[in-house]
Amino acid sequence: MLSGTALDAKKMLRPIRREALELLRKLVQTDSVNIPPNGSETPAQLVLKNFFRAQDIKAELYSLDVLGTSNHGCIRTDRNYKGRKNLAVRFGGSGRGRSLLLNGHIDTVPPGNGKWSDSPWSGKLRQGRIYGLGSFDMKGGVVAEAIVMAALHRAGVKLGGDLIFESVVDEEWGGGGGTLAGRLKGDMADAAVISEGTQLQILRASRGGFVVDLEVEAGDAAAYFSSGAVVSPAIPLGRLLQWIGSWTERRQHLKTSGAYASVEDPAPVQVLAIEANRLDPNVPLSVPTKAAVRVYFQFLPEEDVGAVLASVRQSLDNFQAADPFFQSHPIRWVPLYDPPLLGHELAESHPWTQCMASCLQTVRNQPPVISAAPYPCDAFLLQKEFGIPTLLFGPSGAGAHNPDEYVDVPSVMITAEVLLTAALQWCGA
Ligand SMILES: [Zn+2]
């Protein structure tokens, strides 16, 4: 049985279904790949701007220049923000309610080397799914948020509190610049939701994250195949992998009482890539002169990330000191981004969690699942840096950061229904 506001949300969204699907396909078909230091998000932001224009809604596209004049500690100075723009739609409330921010990122990772069945930008619709790069992470969620704004505008509903929608740049690769710029520009709220693909679960926590390349060079390439003893980093790399494995093991048994208490691997340590020559016809039969491994550390919301990383580095120093090869061929520590991302956690009893849970329950007519995200995201920037209670909630799908990524279209509409119901309840009509 749908309650008043949920029924209203369903009715308000119905007329916009077709346009929602069209917007989603167009966004997926528009390349918005982010490869640091650059990102090409603007064409996709223009697709959104045109959508809002057709709905007679004013959307602001603004530059990230504010990052250049702020000294906030989370700004990544190694990124190029020139020509990249956030998009925001702001509905002022009557002043008698709480405000809400709907946040989503429009950038995607590159398509990778895996084999896609169709072009990564096909936007193909098959069996109720839209396929393509960024469909699930997170253009489906961005569309759900955008049509909440469109539905409210169409119905002529004025909320009590302010409602802000923002489509930000540079979230992938631990960027955060887009979300930071939104806050530094002054868009604040009493609560926020990021509609990352969550399989229609409410995620009230996210992990911290840090990626580092461990590199080692071994000797003189000119000496290879011409001197007696050939020094190679390949087998020592195996020992380095074992050292990483010891951290994986150690972090698997971390005790926590928070949102990750029942998660099997609460703070994963993963190897993302290993390099030492390539199995490639263009690479001669040669012993590698260089080896590298890319390691991904994740952290619990309550952890002191700096302290954990300090003990990781101490442990690496000890490992190196005890290994004759690495004593003479030191390991280089090359972070992919620095400072690391932090986690965040919002209490289950928080009024915003409770509001979203009851709206999800009403819309789906089943008990809501409240859980914790298996990844880091922009949430800590909103909550830890700017005090905005933040949840993740978004559509179903699969294949984020992998070939044949897709988002389930009906779940995009359910996401919009839940978000619209929550906006009506939280902000007050
Ligand atoms: Zn994402």
Side-chain angles (χ1 to χ4, degrees):
M1 188 64 105
L2 288 181
S3 78
T5 42
L7 206 58
D8 290 344
K10 205 179 194 60
K11 231 187 283 170
M12 287 160 71
L13 284 161
R14 194 168 297 135
I16 209 162
R17 292 188 88 91
R18 200 180 44 80
E19 286 140 287
L21 182 62
E22 204 177 304
L23 174 63
L24 177 53
R25 294 191 75 172
K26 258 193 219 156
L27 282 179
V28 173
Q29 286 164 349
T30 306
D31 179 339
S32 56
V33 166
N34 173 0
I35 303 177
N38 302 307
S40 58
E41 297 97 342
T42 304
Q45 298 289 46
L46 288 171
V47 170
L48 272 173
K49 190 166 165 78
N50 288 336
F51 166 79
F52 284 117
R53 187 184 296 135
Q55 308 288 324
D56 202 24
I57 295 171
K58 198 177 139 259
E60 188 199 356
L61 264 183
Y62 62 90
S63 79
L64 275 67
D65 290 353
V66 66
L67 298 179
T69 55
S70 161
N71 54 9
H72 194 282
C74 293
I75 296 172
R76 304 210 182 283
T77 50
D78 55 353
R79 307 271 167 133
N80 176 15
Y81 290 116
K82 213 168 155 232
R84 299 167 79 176
K85 292 181 170 80
N86 278 353
L87 177 139
V89 173
R90 307 177 186 92
F91 290 167
S94 62
R96 286 191 302 272
R98 296 170 289 195
S99 54
L100 178 62
L101 169 67
L102 308 176
N103 166 289
H105 67 84
I106 199 72
D107 60 317
T108 74
V109 292
N113 292 323
K115 193 161 166 27
W116 288 74
S117 304
D118 296 293
S119 155
W121 297 278
S122 76
K124 229 183 212 171
L125 175 66
R126 245 191 344 248
Q127 292 171 326
R129 298 166 169 179
I130 292 280
Y131 283 83
L133 182 63
S135 53
F136 180 48
D137 179 17
M138 58 167 282
K139 289 174 175 176
V142 165
V143 168
E145 293 181 339
I147 63 175
V148 165
M149 307 306 278
L152 279 167
H153 180 77
R154 227 179 247 215
V157 175
K158 191 170 174 77
L159 297 173
D162 297 349
L163 181 66
I164 303 165
F165 161 72
E166 66 181 9
S167 163
V168 302
V169 302
D170 195 37
E171 191 270 355
E172 299 290 357
W173 306 100
T179 290
L180 266 172
R183 310 293 74 68
L184 294 172
K185 206 169 179 307
D187 286 332
M188 300 296 284
D190 298 319
V193 62
I194 304 177
S195 51
E196 289 275 12
T198 69
Q199 321 290 358
L200 298 175
Q201 299 182 4
I202 295 167
L203 305 184
R204 63 179 183 89
S206 60
R207 288 181 180 134
F210 180 71
V211 180
V212 63
D213 292 349
L214 303 178
E215 301 176 349
V216 59
E217 252 158 275
D220 175 13
Y224 280 50
F225 296 99
S226 48
S227 75
V230 171
V231 183
S232 164
I235 287 169
L237 185 67
R239 297 196 291 275
L240 182 59
L241 284 168
Q242 264 176 3
W243 171 80
I244 296 166
S246 73
W247 273 95
T248 305
E249 170 83 9
R250 193 162 149 183
R251 305 274 296 162
Q252 258 166 5
H253 299 109
L254 216 56
K255 293 263 174 295
T256 172
S257 56
Y260 290 91
S262 59
V263 175
E264 206 176 314
D265 191 0
V269 177
Q270 292 149 325
V271 170
L272 301 186
I274 303 172
E275 210 171 78
N277 263 354
R278 292 179 59 114
L279 285 70
D280 181 328
N282 292 311
V283 175
L285 296 178
S286 62
V287 174
T289 55
K290 189 184 158 185
V293 54
R294 178 163 291 177
V295 197
Y296 185 15
F297 290 90
Q298 293 187 63
F299 312 94
L300 294 170
E302 68 271 23
E303 278 189 295
D304 178 343
V305 171
V308 177
L309 283 177
S311 62
V312 169
R313 291 201 72 166
Q314 183 58 57
S315 157
L316 184 63
D317 285 349
N318 297 345
F319 163 78
Q320 185 169 288
D323 188 296
F325 175 85
F326 288 114
Q327 275 165 24
S328 47
H329 303 91
I331 299 161
R332 270 202 309 271
W333 172 275
V334 187
L336 212 60
Y337 50 80
D338 208 10
L341 303 179
L342 307 182
H344 98 292
E345 182 164 339
L346 189 64
E348 197 155 348
S349 60
H350 190 279
W352 176 226
T353 317
Q354 290 298 308
C355 173
M356 276 292 288
S358 80
C359 294
L360 177 55
Q361 157 101 43
T362 315
V363 168
R364 298 202 79 197
N365 197 24
Q366 54 178 259
V369 178
I370 303 175
S371 183
Y375 46 73
C377 65
D378 275 356
F380 81 97
L381 290 173
L382 294 171
Q383 187 168 310
K384 278 196 177 152
E385 299 296 327
F386 293 93
I388 305 174
T390 300
L391 296 169
L392 312 185
F393 177 75
S396 304
H401 298 201
N402 278 286
D404 293 347
E405 176 181 353
Y406 71 84
V407 68
D408 173 77
V409 177
S411 75
V412 173
M413 294 309 295
I414 294 171
T415 299
E417 262 180 63
V418 174
L419 293 180
L420 180 51
T421 308
L424 291 165
Q425 286 201 1
W426 180 260
C427 305

